[in-house]
Amino acid sequence: MEAGERRDPSRQRWFTKSATVYDAIYESILDYDAETELLMDIIGERRPGAESVLEVGCGTGQFLARLRRDFGRVVGVDVSEEMVAVCRARHPECDVRLDDMRTFDLGEQFDAVLCLFASVGYVRTLHGLQQATSALARHLAPGGVLVLDGWIRPEDYVVGHRHALTAHAPGLTVSRHSLAHAGPPGESMIDMAHLVSTPEGFDYYVERHEMGLFADEDVVAAMRAAGLEDIEVLEWRARGRYVGSAP
């Protein structure tokens, strides 16, 4: 953590070890350049001439680093100390803050606010969703655009579903296996087991990810309650991508 930042012990922590292999995993399944172009199209359509962007749940900074090529002001926020540390180490040019998307207040507004790749699922509850959506909307300049990517819809969550992948990076191979469990009502609970090999040897660990299952109408209602207008529900990787504008 940097000076002035304080760890909140009430925060749940999911990427305590996997933050260091996150990029290797997701660069194997996600084309960040193409995804950034999709975002640029939405921002350009909704907010022509946008100059500033805030990404909340920015993780390791893959989108931040790309967005800096086109916008004069780019800021990131993430609740994970480990993810923020990786972002700062790999992209020292990026301005990234350690904070909670439900309660953060940067004291400024942006032309576009992004919450991508299902990060909002980590707020877990409808109350958390409403808090987060309100906080995101408060950071929009008049006429600004919010892009919010949802997690799995409730009807699409399958208990017992398994998934496996193997990814490679210089000096690193990681195999990740996931298993979906029955969580509390309205929540998913997924164990992710990682086997990581480096020239120094092997590391194995399991992280449990507990995330809220929000229906389209839940997200749209939260966005409306936050004062957003012209709300669209798009499809993104078989999930909802929700777009709205500030008045």
Side-chain angles (χ1 to χ4, degrees), residues 20 65 82 84 115 119 126 144 153 178 185 247:
T20 57
E82 291 80 10
V84 168
C115 185
S119 297
L126 285 175
R153 295 177 171 103
S178 62

Side-chain angles (χ1 to χ4, degrees), residues 14-18 190-194 205-209:
W14 296 274
F15 297 97
T16 53
K17 297 198 71 173
S18 66
I190 300 178
D191 286 335
M192 294 187 180
H194 300 73
Y205 49 88
V206 179
E207 293 178 340
R208 171 161 289 183
H209 293 250

Side-chain angles (χ1 to χ4, degrees), residues 46-47 110 137 139-146 226-230 244-247:
R46 289 281 189 130
R47 182 69 164 176
F110 299 80
H139 286 80
L140 278 175
V145 57
L146 171 67
L228 299 180
E229 302 175 342
D230 300 325
S245 296

Side-chain angles (χ1 to χ4, degrees), residues 22 26-27 30-36 62-63 66 117:
Y22 185 93
Y26 285 97
E27 285 175 351
L30 194 68
D31 184 338
Y32 281 99
D33 289 329
E35 293 290 343
T36 302
Q62 290 275 23
F63 285 112
R66 288 163 172 81
F117 211 24

Side-chain angles (χ1 to χ4, degrees), residues 34-79:
E35 293 290 343
T36 302
E37 286 301 315
L38 291 176
L39 295 169
M40 294 289 294
D41 289 343
I42 294 172
I43 296 170
E45 179 181 345
R46 289 281 189 130
R47 182 69 164 176
E51 297 181 351
S52 59
V53 179
L54 168 66
E55 186 191 357
V56 181
C58 65
T60 60
Q62 290 275 23
F63 285 112
L64 288 182
R66 288 163 172 81
L67 291 165
R68 286 187 75 256
R69 303 168 187 168
D70 294 285
F71 297 96
R73 175 79 171 136
V74 177
V75 177
V77 171
D78 203 284
V79 73

Side-chain angles (χ1 to χ4, degrees), residues 52-243:
S52 59
V53 179
L54 168 66
E55 186 191 357
V56 181
C58 65
T60 60
Q62 290 275 23
F63 285 112
L64 288 182
R66 288 163 172 81
L67 291 165
R68 286 187 75 256
R69 303 168 187 168
D70 294 285
F71 297 96
R73 175 79 171 136
V74 177
V75 177
V77 171
D78 203 284
V79 73
S80 166
E81 293 177 42
E82 291 80 10
M83 290 292 230
V84 168
V86 171
C87 180
R88 287 172 174 164
R90 295 181 182 172
H91 306 288
E93 74 282 2
C94 290
D95 180 358
V96 58
R97 321 285 180 84
L98 180 68
D99 216 329
D100 189 315
M101 72 169 68
R102 297 168 296 182
T103 57
F104 78 104
D105 185 357
L106 303 184
E108 61 178 308
Q109 294 182 317
F110 299 80
D111 294 315
V113 175
L114 313 175
C115 185
L116 306 174
F117 211 24
S119 297
V120 75
Y122 286 102
V123 302
R124 297 179 61 183
T125 66
L126 285 175
H127 179 60
L129 173 65
Q130 292 157 1
Q131 287 181 301
T133 307
S134 293
L136 295 168
R138 284 196 303 271
H139 286 80
L140 278 175
V145 57
L146 171 67
V147 182
L148 176 64
D149 288 345
W151 174 229
I152 300 170
R153 295 177 171 103
E155 64 270 21
D156 295 330
Y157 184 67
V158 179
V159 174
H161 178 74
R162 292 168 293 166
H163 182 262
L165 61 80
T166 298
H168 305 274
L172 171 74
T173 298
V174 55
S175 180
R176 189 187 73 180
H177 293 243
S178 62
L179 174 61
H181 302 282
E187 295 184 31
S188 64
M189 185 167 65
I190 300 178
D191 286 335
M192 294 187 180
H194 300 73
L195 177 62
V196 181
S197 64
T198 66
E200 289 72 38
F202 294 94
D203 193 12
Y204 174 78
Y205 49 88
V206 179
E207 293 178 340
R208 171 161 289 183
H209 293 250
E210 297 167 319
M211 302 171 71
L213 299 169
F214 305 127
D216 289 347
E217 53 265 31
D218 296 328
V219 182
V220 170
M223 293 174 72
R224 285 180 178 150
L228 299 180
E229 302 175 342
D230 300 325
I231 299 169
E232 289 184 274
V233 180
L234 309 176
E235 286 297 309
W236 176 81
R237 299 176 68 87
R239 303 171 190 170
R241 168 166 278 177
Y242 309 93
V243 182

